[in-house]
Amino acid sequence: MATSKLLGYLESRKNLAGCGAGLLGLVLTFTGVAGAYWPLVVAGLYGAGALVAPPERVEVPGFGGEGAALDLLRADFARLRTYVTSVTPDLPPVPARRLTELTGLLDALLSHGGWERDPESLHILGRAVREDVPEAVDTYLGARWWTRLTPGGDPPEKHVVRQLSLILRDVRTLAAGVRDEKGLRQESLTRYLEDRG
């Protein structure tokens, strides 16, 4: 495990950019510019190169397709959950909480049966799992790095929180529908049992 992490870092963009900047430090040393402080110059340039390098991108998972079958959607959600778990540590606290709440609610809804009889709701779930959530997270991860290099404008955190809130609104509406349906069913059973007695 530690060996694979070390090898992963050696191949990372941050290490490669740091090594390139460190080589510039060695050139400055051999030309006499760095002087007696050459180790600090080389280390400082390596660190600066590693800091400005773009982060490694976690690829958005490929999904099974447009099929509306609940089993396909559940499999796609499993891939989405793996992706979300890998990128959540890179998110600020507020979007991370929104994303955790959203995936928890999607998990609960997809565990619920009967979506085959409601194609419109199944479409909303499929769109959230296959398009909306991965696009919002991936767009944020890309914009975050560029915002560091060119400050100004709206922070990407503001947009991703708003996007996740809008997706969460749609998913909460579906959850409220399930809750109401279950409540009506429970009331009907109570009335039936009372009338029977």
Side-chain angles (χ1 to χ4, degrees):
M1 177 94 177
T3 305
S4 63
K5 282 187 177 184
L6 176 64
L7 289 175
Y9 179 75
L10 290 175
E11 296 173 344
S12 72
R13 294 178 183 178
K14 291 192 174 294
N15 184 48
L16 294 176
C19 287
L23 284 174
L24 176 64
L26 288 175
V27 168
L28 292 174
T29 299
F30 291 128
T31 58
V33 176
Y37 298 107
W38 71 269
L40 293 175
V41 171
V42 172
L45 286 173
Y46 174 86
L51 283 175
V52 299
E56 298 295 323
R57 294 294 302 264
V58 177
E59 291 298 319
V60 176
F63 295 112
E66 291 300 314
L70 188 56
D71 289 339
L72 283 176
L73 187 54
R74 285 175 177 151
D76 287 344
F77 176 70
R79 283 190 283 283
L80 176 67
R81 188 188 341 226
T82 302
Y83 168 69
V84 164
T85 301
S86 68
V87 299
T88 299
D90 296 334
L91 296 175
V94 174
R97 282 194 302 271
R98 279 287 147 76
L99 193 56
T100 301
E101 181 183 356
L102 183 57
T103 53
L105 196 51
L106 284 169
D107 188 23
L109 286 168
L110 289 170
S111 299
H112 171 68
W115 294 115
E116 292 87 352
R117 296 185 305 272
D118 187 359
E120 185 177 333
S121 296
L122 190 59
H123 172 73
I124 292 169
L125 286 171
R127 186 179 59 208
V129 168
R130 294 176 176 141
E131 298 169 22
D132 297 343
V133 173
E135 183 68 22
V137 173
D138 189 54
T139 303
Y140 164 76
L141 292 173
R144 169 189 67 171
W145 183 76
W146 286 104
T147 303
R148 268 193 333 194
L149 294 178
T150 55
D154 287 338
E157 290 83 6
K158 175 182 174 184
H159 289 287
V160 75
V161 166
R162 181 76 179 126
Q163 292 162 3
L164 293 173
S165 296
L166 292 169
I167 299 165
L168 195 53
R169 179 197 63 197
D170 293 343
V171 174
R172 281 181 180 151
T173 301
L174 288 179
V178 171
R179 182 195 63 223
D180 293 346
E181 174 195 336
K182 297 295 183 187
L184 286 173
R185 196 166 169 208
Q186 188 178 31
E187 288 174 18
S188 296
L189 180 59
T190 302
R191 280 194 302 276
Y192 166 76
L193 292 173
E194 287 172 348
D195 292 345
R196 194 177 69 181

